[in-house]
Amino acid sequence: MKYDIVIAGAGLFGAVAAHELAAAGKRVLVVERRKAAGGNIRCEDRDGIAVHLYGAHIFHTSIREVWDYVNSFVEVNPFINSPIANYKGELYNLPFNMNTFHQMWGVRTPKEAAEKIEEQRSIIKGEPKNLEEQAISLVGTDIYEKLIKGYTEKQWGRSCSSLPAFIIRRLPVRYTYNNNYFNDRYQGIPAGGYNALINKMLDGTDVELGVDFLKERERFASMAKHVVYTGAIDEYFDYEYGELEYRGLRFEHERMETANYQGVAVMNFTDRETPYTRCIEHKHFEPQNAELAEKNVTVVTREYPADWKRGDDAYYPVNDDKNQKLYQRYAERAKKSNVIFGGRLGEYKYYDMDKSVERALELSKCLK
Ligand code: UDP
């Protein structure tokens, strides 16, 4: 056999696994369906701006080992994500914090904010059963109506009362004037974008681009003892038990001849009517680059949520009870195969980048 391990997918999970296994002396082949490596963290240089082709990616983690690991490949520029929510032209700071509460109600102290929220959340009795109840019980009805409901329903294509509560718990709620979107200890963006990171991880490893592993699975299976698969687990098994649900996305990039279009890297459009959820202005991901800031060019990307159907890129797993049960069946099936499934699609899990790296490090250990 020519290789020890074939890895399907050159996204972050696949690249970490490839690097680790190659460093352990394994002969590794990476096979990628797209024409370029990097999965959804891939960037493209346009006018000197690193454009995040698949939406904003801000690396944040509290796992020291993962932070050090990423920093061992590239320099990570400091960046603190402080998005602005735009509700029909009214602007609010995110995540939900004293600035938001002041903008929403004019309150000035944590005590006043807590009283306001307490009054509004009293309609929820007992443990929150879904995203709507969870949101109201965290921040009250006004914030739910203006900053959560519309955004969430267009993002997920379903009502907040039919979504799992954990999704909204991703966002911090703070009684301080702190606009940092993440609670993690470390946060930043690789200098020059994510491609440098992926390229370094894959350096020296054989990579076949534009090749669909599933279409040639026999050939690849005969090439190596082990397979690591980072695509959708249900697709791998030919939808044997049925389809898992995913959420899709569509991105529209626009170049403009202006130095500064929206004054912030990420603006969320939280009303139901605006068809996109976010508009990102990429140059603001590099606040330390003064030359770029002054340059009379900018690139923005609008992110449109989309229904997912077979053949589309899958961006988010829909981790409700029904889909989790179905996933469990695939996971059981996977245990009986000689394939290791990993990453957001392989494990049907809403992983952030750091968790994906952590998991890839963990799974690679089993194969070393
Ligand atoms: N969310 C919201 N309003 C916002 C931002 C987020 O209601 O302005 C909700 C929405 O349900 C979203 C979830 O919080 O799906 C998680 O947001 P996050 O920014 O973590 O999503 P991601 O960046 O992974 O798309």
Side-chain angles (χ1 to χ4, degrees):
M1 282 186 171
K2 189 167 175 208
Y3 295 104
D4 297 304
I5 295 148
V6 174
I7 299 175
L12 184 59
F13 186 98
V16 170
H19 180 82
E20 286 304 292
L21 294 167
K26 302 289 180 192
R27 295 160 307 159
V28 179
L29 171 67
V30 176
V31 184
E32 167 59 50
R33 181 137 82 173
R34 290 185 182 163
K35 297 268 180 338
N40 291 345
I41 63 174
R42 184 158 184 84
C43 295
E44 192 174 284
D45 186 307
R46 296 196 188 170
D47 293 284
I49 301 167
V51 172
H52 296 206
L53 290 175
Y54 304 94
H57 283 86
I58 298 135
F59 196 86
H60 57 95
T61 189
S62 291
I63 312 164
R64 177 68 186 262
E65 190 198 354
V66 168
W67 180 248
D68 289 344
Y69 186 74
V70 169
N71 278 271
S72 73
F73 295 97
V74 285
E75 194 178 334
V76 182
N77 283 332
F79 178 80
I80 300 288
N81 191 29
S82 308
I84 296 290
N86 183 326
Y87 177 77
K88 304 187 181 191
E90 292 173 20
L91 303 185
Y92 297 91
N93 285 108
L94 290 173
F96 312 119
N97 72 83
M98 283 306 297
N99 288 303
T100 330
F101 305 146
H102 175 69
Q103 290 147 353
M104 188 66 69
W105 301 309
V107 296
R108 288 183 173 81
T109 64
K111 184 166 175 281
E112 285 168 359
E115 280 167 8
K116 196 81 194 167
I117 289 172
E118 195 50 46
E119 184 187 305
Q120 298 195 351
R121 72 197 292 263
S122 59
I123 57 169
I124 304 299
K125 313 276 179 229
E127 272 299 294
K129 288 185 285 299
N130 53 50
L131 194 154
E132 177 174 88
E133 294 189 3
Q134 179 70 77
I136 294 172
S137 98
L138 284 169
V139 289
T141 47
D142 288 340
I143 290 180
Y144 170 67
E145 294 290 339
K146 287 189 168 181
L147 305 185
I148 298 174
K149 192 173 191 301
Y151 183 103
T152 300
E153 296 192 349
K154 63 187 173 184
Q155 162 73 4
W156 294 96
R158 51 171 78 191
S159 72
C160 289
S161 54
S162 67
L163 282 163
F166 85 86
I167 295 176
I168 200 67
R169 290 198 298 265
R170 289 170 58 83
L171 274 53
V173 177
R174 292 193 196 108
Y175 289 84
T176 53
Y177 289 93
N178 174 2
N179 296 326
N180 184 347
Y181 198 63
F182 303 113
N183 277 329
D184 284 324
R185 189 154 179 177
Y186 310 105
Q187 185 174 173
I189 295 184
Y194 286 90
N195 297 4
L197 173 67
I198 293 288
N199 292 344
K200 284 217 172 149
M201 285 176 172
L202 292 176
D203 191 28
T205 296
D206 289 349
V207 181
E208 285 190 27
L209 295 172
V211 176
D212 191 338
F213 176 93
L214 292 181
K215 291 204 175 113
E216 300 178 58
R217 62 168 94 196
E218 276 78 34
R219 176 164 82 88
F220 292 119
S222 67
M223 267 186 181
K225 284 193 285 290
H226 299 283
V227 171
V228 173
Y229 191 78
T230 71
I233 188 168
D234 54 342
E235 186 181 7
Y236 181 89
F237 290 115
D238 291 324
Y239 304 102
E240 191 178 320
Y241 306 135
E243 248 177 41
L244 288 164
E245 282 179 276
Y246 301 91
R247 200 65 187 139
L249 289 176
R250 186 170 61 80
F251 298 95
E252 275 181 11
H253 309 288
E254 186 185 354
R255 177 187 185 276
M256 295 177 207
E257 298 203 346
T258 178
N260 183 5
Y261 171 69
Q262 64 179 19
V264 69
V266 182
M267 189 171 285
N268 290 5
F269 290 79
T270 59
D271 66 287
R272 185 72 191 79
E273 292 73 32
T274 306
Y276 44 90
T277 48
R278 290 187 270 225
C279 178
I280 65 178
E281 186 172 11
H282 303 270
K283 61 158 52 175
H284 297 307
F285 286 131
E286 293 177 65
Q288 45 287 107
N289 189 338
E291 202 185 315
L292 195 62
E294 279 165 29
K295 197 170 164 180
N296 206 39
V297 174
T298 197
V299 179
V300 303
T301 299
R302 296 189 181 81
E303 182 174 326
Y304 294 78
D307 290 334
W308 176 90
K309 58 178 186 333
R310 280 189 206 186
D312 295 345
D313 286 337
Y315 287 89
Y316 296 91
V318 180
N319 298 105
D320 60 7
D321 290 346
K322 187 183 103 196
N323 283 290
Q324 275 316 113
K325 281 202 186 96
L326 182 54
Y327 166 70
Q328 276 316 322
R329 294 186 65 199
Y330 281 114
E332 286 305 316
R333 176 84 175 71
K335 278 191 204 149
K336 292 182 207 123
S337 73
N338 63 346
V339 178
I340 292 183
F341 291 85
R344 223 188 232 210
L345 301 179
E347 295 173 69
Y348 199 66
K349 202 157 178 207
Y350 195 170
Y351 279 136
D352 284 329
M353 287 184 280
D354 66 326
K355 293 285 168 15
S356 197
V357 171
E358 183 185 42
R359 190 79 180 125
L361 291 172
E362 225 170 73
L363 285 182
S364 308
K365 280 188 195 135
C366 310
L367 289 173
K368 276 183 189 171

